Amino acid sequence: MSRPHIPLSIQDLSSFSRALARQLSAGADAGQVPSHLALMNMLARAGGYRNFQHLRAVQAAEDRLARPTEPEASVDLRLVEKALPHFDDQGRLLRWPGRRQVRSLCLQVLWARLPAGQAMTEAEVNALLGPAHAFGDVAQLRRSLVEDGRLTRRRDGSDYRRAGGAPSPEGRALIRLVEARRRAAA
């Protein structure tokens, strides 16, 4: 089994040395030579971690987060590619898509911006959807989200809720791309 490489970055070498010296002298007073694991724990603590396990866990999480997510095999990237031009750099829906498939995919981006598990009035839904598009038809977006099953509402229109479930693989890919565009433009 190969050993993972775990880097230890030291911001201040002086404080690191002092912390390590304190730990080594505490063990030397007891007349003990630190074991391999004890020495790794001392190095990790001197670096600001609780112990070696903490250092290893932080590094593993950092590696997972830094690794780019690969597109899922079942994602129809051509459909995502057709939907992406419907959004501007601020993540606003520029125009109403003509094709139902593309429209449903674009609605998933707007759906993801609605708060989950929260009752909303029509005015609150309008306030959230208003800045999310550029063609000035909030009612169309609201109705389409209900028709697409992404938003539920009472018959009298007094209570709107984001429907549960997850976006499709294409929806997740489009959401990631639109959000990345928004962050890059900010």
Side-chain angles (χ1 to χ4, degrees):
M1 183 168 117
S2 66
R3 292 193 175 109
H5 297 283
I6 301 172
L8 176 62
S9 175
I10 302 167
Q11 297 287 333
D12 182 6
L13 189 58
S14 177
S15 63
F16 178 84
S17 308
R18 253 183 272 128
L20 187 56
R22 267 195 310 273
Q23 292 179 61
L24 284 170
S25 67
D29 292 344
Q32 299 175 4
V33 174
S35 68
H36 175 72
L37 181 59
L39 190 55
M40 288 194 314
N41 282 329
M42 287 179 190
L43 289 167
R45 280 193 295 271
Y49 299 91
R50 288 190 303 268
N51 54 30
F52 179 69
Q53 287 289 90
H54 181 225
L55 169 64
R56 190 166 63 181
V58 167
Q59 185 61 44
E62 206 172 283
D63 289 346
R64 284 190 305 273
L65 292 173
R67 198 173 318 130
T69 56
E70 296 178 19
E72 299 169 31
S74 63
V75 175
D76 183 356
L77 293 176
R78 287 186 41 90
L79 183 59
V80 174
E81 188 178 40
K82 288 177 183 177
L84 190 59
H86 289 278
F87 291 91
D88 66 7
D89 289 343
Q90 285 78 42
R92 294 180 309 156
L93 186 61
L94 294 171
R95 59 192 161 275
W96 189 243
R99 290 187 57 212
R100 178 151 178 69
Q101 257 188 324
V102 174
R103 185 169 49 241
S104 179
L105 194 55
C106 291
L107 287 173
Q108 291 181 49
V109 174
L110 302 179
W111 167 86
R113 295 179 188 167
L114 298 174
Q118 179 181 330
M120 297 173 282
T121 64
E122 186 174 300
E124 290 171 329
V125 173
N126 289 348
L128 291 168
L129 293 177
H133 76 294
F135 53 88
D137 196 353
V138 179
Q140 177 67 48
L141 291 174
R142 198 179 57 246
R143 278 192 306 270
S144 296
L145 282 165
V146 171
E147 289 169 5
D148 208 42
R150 299 277 169 195
L151 193 63
T152 62
R153 74 175 191 96
R154 284 192 184 156
R155 283 188 173 269
D156 63 358
S158 64
D159 182 45
Y160 286 83
R161 292 179 189 268
R162 183 175 118 171
S168 66
E170 291 82 9
R172 285 192 296 274
L174 182 61
I175 290 166
R176 276 193 301 268
L177 289 169
V178 169
E179 291 306 313
R181 227 191 230 182
R182 282 176 67 183
R183 282 190 300 275

